[in-house]
Amino acid sequence: MSNNPYQPEIEAVAEFLRACLPFDALPDEALRNSARQIQIIYLREGKRITALEDEYALRIVRSGAVEIRSSRNELMDRLGEGESFNIHGLDVGDSGVSAVVIEDGLIYSLPRTHYEQLRAQFRDFDRHFHSQRSRRLRRAARYQPNTNVMMLPIEGLISHNVLTLDDGASIQDAARAMSLRRVSSVLVLDSNQRLAGILTDRDLRSRALAHGLSGATPIRQVMTSDPIFIEHHALLFDALLLMTQNSVHHLPVLQNGEVKGIITSSDVMLARKDDPVYLVQHLSRQQDIRGMKAIIDTLPSLLVEVIKGGMRAHQVSRVLTAISDTVTMRLIELAKTQLGPAPAPFCWLGFGSQARGEQLIGADQDNGLLIDDRVQPHQLEWFRQLAEYVCDGLDACGYPYCKGKVMATTDAWRQPLSGWQRTVDEWTRSPTPDAVMRVSIFFDLRALYGERSLCQRLQQHMLSRTGKDTIFLAALAANVLEQTPPLGIFRRFLVERNGDHRDEFDVKKRGVMPLVELVRLHALANGVSAVNTRERIRELMDSKILTIVDGRNLQDAFDSIQQLRVSNHSNQIAHNGDISNYLNPKELSELQRKHLKDAFTVVHDAQEALRHHYRPGL
């Protein structure tokens, strides 16, 4: 970086270091000199830092998250913003210690020479790092028995000696090889040794034997082509959720597109059974609403435990969304046993936070029904009864009715495809405040059950209408700018002055939603089909619509606010209080307040950029 310690970028680094241990104890001149030495590095998720392959330096996490793992891949520590590590120092006495980036982020790297000068010159600074390793080892020993296994990487659980066959092999060859190796699946490779499919013992029974196929039949005719797979650096949590959501028991594990192994449901079962993710499986087996409600009632206490166990906010919301998805799907199945089969193809839609995969405890219903245009008028009653059964069941299970009636029980939110398309056309043609409000809910949609192609056709129609309509986008932008983060001009929190929430602010309404809505606007304007906020940000960065710095700042802000919101919910549950999104900033630590102000500042800056970008249409 520049030699001028007062240049804005140097000052920004110095300001950040000033809030980090042990830099906060350094004299100002030493701190500014350190800032001048800093090298800024952007690291992607999965990057591993080792003493053997990386240069000697002190690394400070500016954004993202890093795990420190022992030579036996045991979790020693998890570091977030403002925390630092010296991988060479940690490696002493336990060769093979590594740092693994678990969330994309920026790292400040302080070169060895300057780092060692600081240790030699300042005793407290040296003491901090002298004790760091032993402290982490103590933590690892203390917490190892209680490690949340869902946070373990799958790398240590997968079977590496996987059975593979070419796609030209016969099903008899496959059956013989599987019997010999005593495995229940075989991965099928193409001529380039890339994964082409998977064949399981169930496929052999249901697709080959049941149809009387000859043993000489090529396996490519009965295998599952382009199977769902998982990357080798994924967590057990990811594997379990992927299996559950797609009803599969075998996941090929890939690294850089090449087969590295396979993980099965048996491997997962061996890991641990008492994790909340298993609620998804238990829910799908319930035979009535009472059984489902009994399971849902356990969610608050489980939320407290998983937060204590270190689960991040985006993982918590994925689990909670998967649970509400499962409740919805199970209710639809139960309804069909009473109503009979559907008279026409349909798709059950989830909107808002459920569509984005960002639900938390206390979420209400936002859903709709999309019906194939071939439906006959006299058949619509079946769908009305389905909507009533499912929405009543969701309410009974703890997902309250939507106060704005954004539910499939409302005629306007239960339509054939052509009706939905006309509704979208009307909303975009006349973007009244009410239409914009409905659009803000509707444009986050996801197929939960039924014919997904109907949802895809509706989404494509929606994107084709919005991408080039500057007036409509300007109306959305105006709506986004109505809610701003609760920060005054001197970065003081703006709180309620009266009422039940005096001295508090709504962190969802004033922090989460402005960010979600501005990211959604960029996605709609640029034809990005992703719905989840983090995925939208990633796609916007990949397509160069957002710079890496802006995108990372937005994701950090989103994660930071959501983590605080989840922690607040956990505290409210632990103290037997009602769950709400109101926060009293005086009850936060100084560091939490600082992080929250930084996050709100990012949202504010992004809103200003959005105002400038869409100004011609405003």
Side-chain angles (χ1 to χ4, degrees), residues 366-435:
D366 284 321
N367 53 52
L369 253 177
L370 173 57
I371 309 167
D372 191 283
D373 281 336
R374 290 171 290 180
V375 67
Q376 299 300 309
H378 69 278
Q379 296 171 331
L380 292 174
E381 174 62 15
W382 188 95
F383 293 101
R384 189 196 66 76
Q385 293 183 34
L386 171 69
E388 188 172 285
Y389 184 94
V390 175
C391 292
D392 287 349
L394 286 169
D395 181 69
C397 287
Y399 300 95
Y401 297 119
C402 172
K403 294 179 180 176
K405 299 188 183 303
V406 181
M407 297 183 294
T409 48
T410 305
D411 291 346
W413 296 88
R414 188 184 68 252
Q415 299 190 68
L417 176 61
S418 56
W420 277 112
Q421 290 172 331
R422 284 194 297 274
T423 300
V424 170
D425 292 346
E426 183 180 340
W427 285 341
T428 52
R429 190 166 49 243
S430 304
T432 62
D434 180 66

Side-chain angles (χ1 to χ4, degrees), residues 110-404:
L110 186 65
R112 177 177 186 172
T113 303
H114 190 80
Y115 167 59
E116 291 186 340
Q117 285 176 351
L118 289 175
R119 292 191 64 171
Q121 191 173 356
F122 301 101
R123 184 179 178 184
D124 289 340
F125 189 92
D126 175 69
R127 185 176 294 169
H128 175 86
F129 291 102
H130 180 73
S131 61
Q132 191 176 40
R133 178 174 176 274
S134 58
R135 188 172 64 249
R136 283 179 179 151
L137 287 175
R138 284 200 304 274
R139 284 186 194 172
R142 186 183 308 165
Y143 293 118
Q144 186 176 354
N146 297 321
T147 298
N148 186 339
V149 295
M150 287 296 125
M151 296 297 104
L152 290 175
I154 61 171
E155 202 165 8
L157 300 171
I158 64 178
S159 302
H160 294 275
N161 188 21
V162 61
L163 175 62
T164 61
L165 286 175
D166 295 336
D167 57 2
S170 69
I171 58 175
Q172 187 173 22
D173 292 336
R176 187 182 297 119
M178 291 165 67
S179 177
L180 190 63
R181 292 275 294 272
R182 297 184 178 181
V183 295
S184 58
S185 65
V186 55
L187 299 186
V188 184
L189 307 181
D190 62 16
S191 57
N192 296 317
Q193 296 299 293
R194 295 276 174 164
L195 181 66
I198 184 171
L199 182 74
T200 67
D201 51 3
R202 185 177 179 181
D203 296 332
L204 286 173
R205 292 196 305 272
S206 61
R207 298 177 183 173
L209 292 176
H211 291 83
L213 296 183
S214 162
T217 304
I219 55 178
R220 71 169 73 93
Q221 292 187 16
V222 295
M223 71 182 186
T224 299
S225 301
D226 300 322
I228 296 166
F229 64 87
I230 193 166
E231 294 290 342
H232 74 105
H233 55 69
L235 303 178
L236 184 57
F237 166 82
D238 299 314
L240 180 56
L241 204 53
L242 205 54
M243 287 180 183
T244 302
Q245 291 180 325
N246 293 281
S247 300
V248 297
H249 301 285
H250 304 77
L251 284 176
V253 181
L254 303 189
Q255 181 177 13
N256 298 324
E258 296 182 355
V259 172
K260 187 170 184 181
I262 191 168
I263 184 167
T264 69
S265 55
S266 297
D267 299 325
V268 175
M269 290 291 288
L270 287 174
R272 194 173 177 182
K273 295 182 178 179
D274 57 345
D275 193 274
V277 181
Y278 277 88
L279 290 180
V280 176
Q281 291 178 321
H282 298 328
L283 281 166
S284 64
R285 300 188 187 110
Q286 297 305 307
Q287 298 301 315
D288 54 36
I289 294 174
R290 179 183 297 179
M292 285 190 280
K293 183 177 185 307
I295 294 175
I296 297 299
D297 285 345
T298 67
L299 281 182
S301 57
L302 280 171
L303 175 68
V304 175
E305 294 304 315
V306 297
I307 293 297
K308 286 180 181 175
M311 190 175 280
R312 307 297 296 172
H314 68 273
Q315 294 167 330
V316 171
S317 58
R318 281 182 62 193
V319 171
L320 294 178
T321 303
I323 288 172
S324 67
D325 285 358
T326 303
V327 172
T328 304
M329 290 187 283
R330 188 61 189 142
L331 285 168
I332 294 172
E333 291 289 347
L334 291 174
K336 288 170 68 176
T337 62
Q338 294 188 12
L339 302 174
F346 73 96
C347 180
W348 187 276
L349 301 174
F351 298 118
S353 61
Q354 185 175 22
R356 297 193 304 273
E358 295 164 4
Q359 271 193 323
L360 295 179
I361 294 278
D364 63 357
Q365 298 182 40
D366 284 321
N367 53 52
L369 253 177
L370 173 57
I371 309 167
D372 191 283
D373 281 336
R374 290 171 290 180
V375 67
Q376 299 300 309
H378 69 278
Q379 296 171 331
L380 292 174
E381 174 62 15
W382 188 95
F383 293 101
R384 189 196 66 76
Q385 293 183 34
L386 171 69
E388 188 172 285
Y389 184 94
V390 175
C391 292
D392 287 349
L394 286 169
D395 181 69
C397 287
Y399 300 95
Y401 297 119
C402 172
K403 294 179 180 176

Side-chain angles (χ1 to χ4, degrees), residues 515 518-519 537 546 550-558 602 606:
L515 191 154
L518 73 86
V519 172
I537 292 172
L546 288 179
D550 288 344
R552 288 298 307 158
N553 283 342
L554 280 174
Q555 182 171 313
D556 290 344
F558 180 68
V602 168

